[in-house]
Amino acid sequence: MKKLAVLFGAWMATACVYAGEVSVLDERRQWVESFYTYPIEFFNQKPLLLKTEYITENKQKKDTVLTVYTGYSMVNTKVMRKDYYISDKVRAAMNGGLVGASAPMMFKTNEEIPIVGQVSVDRQDFVLVPTELDGFVMLVARDGSVYGHLGQIRDGRLALLDDNILTSPDNFHFSPVTATSVDASEPVNGFDLRYDGIKNGQMVFNYMAYNPSDGKSGEFQVVTFPKKRGNYRIDDVVIRVLNATPERIDYMILDS
């Protein structure tokens, strides 16, 4: 019985060493692979920004008689930021696909394929599109073109395969399925001029210039003029006052 206990103990020690070797070898493999693989940002994070546009809103007409009541805007210009993000899909721009050493992968025009995540290879951004081969992905650049090698996801990282792939036709590419984001409550630039009635015989105007650096703050000033008809300049805005009362103002915008 004693010999059996000794043998059992020896077997347990050997099993521990063996398990330890497997763990060490697995960690070593992952360490070696980290030198030729790329980290992946999976798409449970913020999508990749494709482009940004700035939209100027200015609804008031120049050289037209206008009327506003006290407390309301006479003239304003707002520059809004509109961001286009690559959503979680791409769309085939035409019939075609990939040919090469791997199995052919063909798509129909406007066919949508989900995106796994995004990666940066040699300082170029790509989104990862799954293929029919489990764990293998295509790399699609911002312009929709397909990278010349497939990738394989290993332990959450991307490894590039050596075999070249070709597109058929040559100009086959994808289009991003975009999602837009506009925050109309926070202009990034512009101004707002409001009429604030008559006080102590003076016409009172409130002028706000939005801060172009963040759009969330700005320069606020109160401007007064004698209560009479005429042309008045407030910063870059030129108005012609036709009539002003404590309740309303009739005016024209000459420049803004």
Side-chain angles (χ1 to χ4, degrees):
M1 187 72 177
K2 184 176 181 181
K3 290 183 178 180
L4 182 60
V6 171
L7 288 173
F8 182 76
W11 178 82
M12 286 293 292
T14 304
C16 291
V17 171
Y18 179 76
E21 288 177 350
V22 170
S23 176
V24 169
L25 290 175
D26 187 57
E27 291 179 0
R28 180 178 178 81
R29 175 185 60 79
Q30 294 180 14
W31 179 74
V32 172
E33 285 187 350
S34 68
F35 288 96
Y36 63 88
T37 59
Y38 303 88
I40 299 172
E41 294 183 36
F42 291 96
F43 262 22
N44 56 355
Q45 303 178 19
K46 184 177 179 179
L48 181 68
L49 179 65
L50 181 65
K51 64 178 180 179
T52 296
E53 292 180 351
Y54 292 91
I55 304 168
T56 301
E57 296 181 356
N58 191 342
K59 300 179 181 179
Q60 293 87 347
K61 296 181 179 180
K62 295 181 180 180
D63 302 319
T64 302
V65 177
L66 303 169
T67 299
V68 299
Y69 291 91
T70 301
Y72 287 87
S73 177
M74 298 175 61
V75 55
N76 63 76
T77 296
K78 296 180 180 180
V79 180
M80 317 302 296
R81 172 174 173 153
K82 187 175 185 179
D83 292 329
Y84 292 82
Y85 293 95
I86 297 178
S87 65
D88 57 356
K89 295 179 181 179
V90 291
R91 179 185 295 117
M94 62 189 70
N95 289 329
L98 309 183
V99 294
S102 303
M105 287 168 282
M106 308 305 291
F107 306 91
K108 295 181 179 180
T109 304
N110 292 328
E111 181 179 349
E112 294 186 354
I113 306 97
I115 292 173
V116 175
Q118 62 192 37
V119 70
S120 180
V121 177
D122 297 331
R123 297 184 180 179
Q124 185 176 2
D125 294 323
F126 297 93
V127 292
L128 304 179
V129 179
T131 70
E132 297 174 356
L133 304 173
D134 188 32
F136 291 85
V137 291
M138 294 178 288
L139 283 71
V140 179
R142 285 175 182 249
D143 61 2
S145 61
V146 181
Y147 192 64
H149 298 273
L150 288 181
Q152 183 182 19
I153 298 177
R154 301 176 184 172
D155 299 318
R157 296 177 65 89
L158 178 73
L160 296 177
L161 304 187
D162 292 333
D163 294 334
N164 292 327
I165 57 172
L166 301 174
T167 56
S168 177
D170 291 342
N171 64 338
F172 175 81
H173 62 280
F174 292 94
S175 299
V177 178
T178 59
T180 60
S181 173
V182 181
D183 190 349
S185 65
E186 294 184 356
V188 297
N189 205 345
F191 65 88
D192 186 17
L193 176 64
R194 295 175 180 265
Y195 180 59
D196 202 27
I198 306 295
K199 297 178 182 178
N200 300 322
Q202 301 279 313
M203 298 182 297
V204 181
F205 303 89
N206 292 321
Y207 182 82
M208 167 69 80
Y210 302 111
N211 189 333
S213 64
D214 59 17
K216 299 179 181 180
S217 59
E219 178 184 352
F220 178 81
Q221 57 180 315
V222 177
V223 183
T224 61
F225 296 105
K227 180 184 173 301
K228 63 180 182 178
R229 294 167 56 96
N231 296 345
Y232 300 93
R233 174 182 289 275
I234 303 174
D235 201 16
D236 291 332
V237 181
V238 179
I239 60 172
R240 176 174 296 166
V241 176
L242 304 176
N243 183 50
T245 70
E247 295 79 23
R248 56 182 278 181
I249 185 171
D250 301 321
Y251 65 102
M252 298 174 64
I253 301 170
L254 304 182
D255 197 8
S256 62

